[in-house]
Amino acid sequence: MNVIEIGLQPYFVIAVILLLFISIYFEWLKPAVSFLFAALLLVVFGIISPAEILEGFSNQSIASVILLILITAGIRSHFNVELWLDKAFGKAKTYRQFLISMMSKVAVLSTFVNNTPVVVLMTPYVFSWGKKNNISPSKLLIPLSYSTIMGGMVTLIGTSTTLVLNGFMIENNLPGIDPLELLFTGSIVAIICIIFLMLFSNKLLPNRKDIIEKFEANKRQYLIEKRLSENSPLIGKSIIEGGLRNLSGVYLVEIVRDDKLISPVTPKEIIQAKDILIFAGNTDNIVDLTLTDIGVELPEKLTPSTNGKLRVVESVVSANSSLIGKTVKKSNFRERYDAAVIAVHRNGEKLSGKIGKINIKAGDVLLLYVGEEFNDRIDLYKDLYVITGETKEIDKKNNGYYKLVIIGIVVLGLVITQVFNLFLSLMSIFTVMVAMKLITIQNVKRDLDISLVAILVLSLSIGEAMINTGTGELIAHQALRFLQPYGNIAILAGLMIITTLLTSFITNVGAVAIAFPLTFAMTSGMGIDGGPFYLGIAFAASAAFLTPVGYQTNLIIYGPGGYNFKDFLKIGLPVTIIYLILAISSVIFLYKGIFI
């Protein structure tokens, strides 16, 4: 039943999409929840039916994305990929050598593997290489993220963007994206953009080395909270008498006493029982501070380690984390993750007060004391990416690699024979891996991101609403009136610029969900082949270089690199311009008849 008049429905859909855009940009709600509310509004007001939402779960492209993630995770968790990385990058000795080697190889890897797990895997390795070679991670991590994005556009399976767009096209009786056109355009774009990054990354990227060296090479400064134990020898002493002015690499910035915050702390301030001391310092000295004889309490309620050693882990808060907007205390962090937050780093932003009362943001780096159950807990909740201190469960038996050979043979056979389409091919590989116990029910629970699935499914329904109500036609008509006098090239460029701006502030899948019906309506109204325009928005929806929030890989490296929004804009703007010019030029070359 339609609650809104037919003539007003397109404007209602536009209002819902704008509300969705604003909610995601200002982080009012998590992206998945924002999409859920948008879809709910469309159902309640009769724009789409519940059945149209549920149809997304049967979409083969969405199922292909899920299978890709599980297959990638299964290989990563059973084979020593880090050993291969050492062999792949061990010969690189200079910044430029490592940069070109790293970018080219991860770009190639991302053509076959979903780029998010590639960045999760590579971030600690790249960070560590930078430390060993006295190069700031801020000079390395943005090129890592960008090159995986570019590599993902060379093939249909490299990124969820192309898979989802391909699904939209097939559902609307269109032929789908041509893999050869994607290969041609993607290869040109990736090669030239990687060359640009190799030549100009050192000039355009920030060097956080001065800040890092202030607290020893390549160490992030954290806000650290320490609660004094009842028998602490510091109680009753002044700051100077307690030796708190002479700590190596750590300094006392505040004291929390009941509900009172003492800052700055004078040398003569007397320490009292139950004081909470707030320090600032780097990673290594946090552990040293805990082990000094000043009566600092260790976190309670953590499951003890089997070897009796204290384990410290650095982790990044993910874009879709349920922790965002909550304080550490209200999130029930310790019981939920079997870990205690002992320090927080937020890209140079000055934090103050108790750590338990700090509102967590996406990209925050948390330093944790962790118990034995920590790995299983973060795998289950998917709120954090571990960047240092991670222990992986790797199959150490050499004969386990025969399984990888079998998978390789299956993949090669499917590629050569092309007996199945993409979904059935992935399903075949998935079945073989399940049979060899490389993927289990535990892996599915741990590696399947429910938020990603929700966004994929709900974005389909929003796209359906734009098509059903004629919203796409309305916007297309207005855009066409403005762009048509300038020719088809202007229309292509206009669509790609709009899509790029969308993907910079909402998800790439969300950008595709909005851009597809616009393109569909526009090309149908003009009566021309939509192929080049769909190819164009495929590349534009992956041009997530301007902000850290547009793509998951950018957010993963945002905290570890110590970046801010300006850093992404400074290097992302020229990369985006080059990327779009190359993509537009390639599309025009492939479809000369339409554009020339």
Side-chain angles (χ1 to χ4, degrees):
M1 179 180 176
N2 291 327
V3 179
I4 301 173
E5 292 182 13
I6 293 177
L8 297 177
Q9 287 182 5
Y11 299 99
F12 179 78
V13 173
I14 291 172
V16 170
I17 292 172
L18 287 175
L19 184 62
L20 170 66
F21 178 89
I22 294 169
S23 174
I24 294 174
Y25 180 72
F26 289 103
E27 299 179 355
W28 291 346
L29 297 168
K30 292 189 295 181
V33 179
S34 296
F35 271 92
L36 180 60
F37 270 107
L40 181 63
L41 284 173
L42 295 173
V43 171
V44 169
F45 285 91
I47 305 298
I48 56 175
S49 67
E52 287 175 306
I53 293 180
L54 294 175
E55 283 176 5
F57 289 100
S58 62
N59 182 278
Q60 287 193 16
S61 295
I62 291 178
S64 298
V65 173
I66 294 170
L67 288 171
L68 270 172
I69 292 171
L70 293 176
I71 290 168
T72 301
I75 293 173
R76 189 165 56 99
S77 63
H78 287 83
F79 300 100
N80 198 338
V81 181
E82 285 80 359
L83 182 63
W84 299 344
L85 294 176
D86 282 331
K87 292 180 179 179
F89 303 110
K91 295 181 180 180
K93 300 299 180 184
T94 66
Y95 171 70
R96 184 158 290 180
Q97 284 177 352
F98 180 78
L99 201 63
I100 189 62
S101 178
M102 179 264 292
M103 288 192 298
S104 59
K105 288 169 183 173
V106 298
V108 171
L109 182 60
S110 295
T111 63
F112 303 103
V113 179
N114 187 274
N115 45 23
T116 297
V118 171
V119 174
V120 172
L121 177 69
M122 286 293 300
T123 295
Y125 183 85
V126 172
F127 188 92
S128 176
W129 188 92
K131 287 198 297 184
K132 292 176 183 176
N133 292 273
N134 199 30
I135 296 171
S136 172
S138 61
K139 292 286 188 182
L140 299 167
L141 292 176
I142 280 182
L144 167 65
S145 178
Y146 283 8
S147 55
T148 60
I149 293 172
M150 295 165 190
M153 287 305 301
V154 175
T155 63
L156 192 63
I157 64 173
T159 176
S160 58
T161 311
T162 50
L163 286 170
V164 172
L165 177 59
N166 197 63
F168 278 138
M169 294 174 69
I170 292 172
E171 285 187 353
N172 286 274
N173 300 315
L174 297 171
I177 300 174
D178 188 328
L180 292 179
E181 293 177 355
L182 203 64
L183 177 64
F184 174 78
T185 306
S187 298
I188 291 173
V189 170
I191 291 170
I192 295 179
C193 285
I194 286 174
I195 291 173
F196 173 83
L197 288 169
M198 181 191 70
L199 295 175
F200 296 101
S201 286
N202 199 29
K203 293 180 180 179
L204 295 175
L205 287 170
N207 187 359
R208 304 295 184 219
K209 200 169 182 179
D210 292 337
I211 297 174
I212 294 167
E213 286 179 343
K214 188 175 180 180
F215 291 102
E216 299 182 3
N218 295 319
K219 301 295 179 183
R220 285 184 290 279
Q221 181 176 333
Y222 283 92
L223 184 74
I224 313 155
E225 175 185 320
K226 294 298 177 184
R227 185 183 297 272
L228 291 181
S229 57
E230 294 181 357
N231 58 352
S232 171
L234 294 177
I235 296 174
K237 294 182 180 180
S238 68
I239 300 300
I240 287 184
E241 291 171 344
L244 296 180
R245 287 290 182 187
N246 301 314
L247 296 171
S248 175
V250 178
Y251 61 95
L252 181 65
V253 292
E254 297 171 344
I255 295 178
V256 179
R257 183 171 296 157
D258 297 324
D259 294 328
K260 181 181 178 183
L261 184 67
I262 302 172
S263 179
V265 182
T266 65
K268 294 182 180 180
E269 181 70 41
I270 303 300
I271 301 170
Q272 299 180 15
K274 298 183 180 180
D275 275 354
I276 298 174
L277 309 182
I278 308 294
F279 295 89
N282 61 56
T283 309
D284 289 345
N285 295 103
I286 293 171
V287 181
D288 295 339
L289 176 65
T290 302
L291 299 178
T292 55
D293 188 23
I294 61 174
V296 172
E297 292 182 350
L298 289 173
E300 299 175 352
K301 300 180 183 178
L302 297 184
T303 55
S305 172
T306 52
N307 58 15
K309 294 182 179 179
L310 190 67
R311 184 176 163 215
V312 180
V313 161
E314 285 182 292
S315 60
V316 181
V317 178
S318 70
N320 297 320
S321 175
S322 62
L323 297 171
I324 296 171
K326 298 179 182 178
T327 63
V328 174
K329 185 175 182 180
K330 288 184 179 179
S331 68
N332 199 26
F333 195 96
R334 192 166 300 180
E335 288 74 17
R336 184 179 174 92
Y337 303 99
D338 191 26
V341 180
I342 55 172
V344 180
H345 167 80
R346 185 176 291 162
N347 290 302
E349 182 179 332
K350 184 179 180 181
L351 303 174
S352 178
K354 291 183 179 179
I355 286 178
K357 293 185 177 181
I358 293 175
N359 287 319
I360 298 172
K361 292 185 178 181
D364 280 354
V365 183
L366 308 180
L367 197 71
L368 311 171
Y369 287 143
V370 302
E372 284 293 303
E373 297 180 12
F374 172 72
N375 282 350
D376 291 336
R377 301 282 182 87
I378 62 164
D379 284 341
L380 178 62
Y381 295 117
K382 301 178 183 66
D383 288 322
L384 304 168
Y385 293 113
V386 173
I387 55 175
T388 60
E390 183 177 13
T391 54
K392 292 185 177 293
E393 297 176 4
I394 303 294
D395 186 358
K396 296 180 180 179
K397 297 179 181 179
N398 291 330
N399 59 7
Y401 283 93
Y402 80 89
K403 298 178 180 179
L404 195 59
V405 174
I406 293 174
I407 295 171
I409 293 172
V410 172
V411 172
L412 189 62
L414 291 170
V415 171
I416 293 173
T417 62
Q418 295 186 346
V419 65
F420 296 139
N421 62 20
L422 176 63
F423 170 72
L424 288 177
S425 297
L426 290 173
M427 195 67 190
S428 302
I429 298 167
F430 178 80
T431 304
V432 170
M433 292 183 68
V434 169
M436 293 190 294
K437 297 183 179 180
L438 294 177
I439 299 176
T440 63
I441 295 297
Q442 179 72 14
N443 294 133
V444 174
K445 291 180 180 178
R446 181 182 64 192
D447 298 312
L448 187 58
D449 188 343
I450 301 300
S451 293
L452 174 62
V453 176
I455 290 172
L456 292 172
V457 170
L458 294 171
S459 65
L460 286 176
S461 63
I462 293 171
E464 192 71 21
M466 292 190 72
I467 294 172
N468 292 347
T469 60
T471 305
E473 292 182 8
L474 175 68
I475 299 175
H477 179 70
Q478 297 300 322
L480 193 59
R481 285 180 59 190
F482 177 76
L483 296 171
Q484 197 168 23
Y486 303 99
N488 290 344
I489 294 177
I491 294 173
L492 173 66
L495 282 171
M496 291 181 67
I497 290 170
I498 291 170
T499 307
T500 299
L501 292 175
L502 287 172
T503 203
S504 297
F505 297 101
I506 64 174
T507 66
N508 58 333
V509 175
V512 168
I514 295 170
F516 173 77
L518 295 180
T519 307
F520 181 80
M522 188 175 290
T523 53
S524 298
M526 294 171 63
I528 60 173
D529 180 11
F533 300 94
Y534 297 125
L535 184 61
I537 64 170
F539 278 89
S542 286
F545 308 118
L546 294 172
T547 69
V549 299
Y551 205 79
Q552 187 76 283
T553 59
N554 288 343
L555 196 56
I556 294 168
I557 56 92
Y558 181 61
Y563 297 118
N564 56 44
F565 269 66
K566 292 181 181 178
D567 296 330
F568 277 84
L569 190 60
K570 186 176 180 181
I571 191 169
L573 184 58
V575 169
T576 300
I577 292 171
I578 294 170
Y579 179 98
L580 290 179
I581 289 174
L582 290 169
I584 292 171
S585 300
S586 297
V587 172
I588 293 171
F589 175 80
L590 290 170
Y591 290 88
K592 299 185 186 74
I594 294 177
F595 295 103
I596 299 176

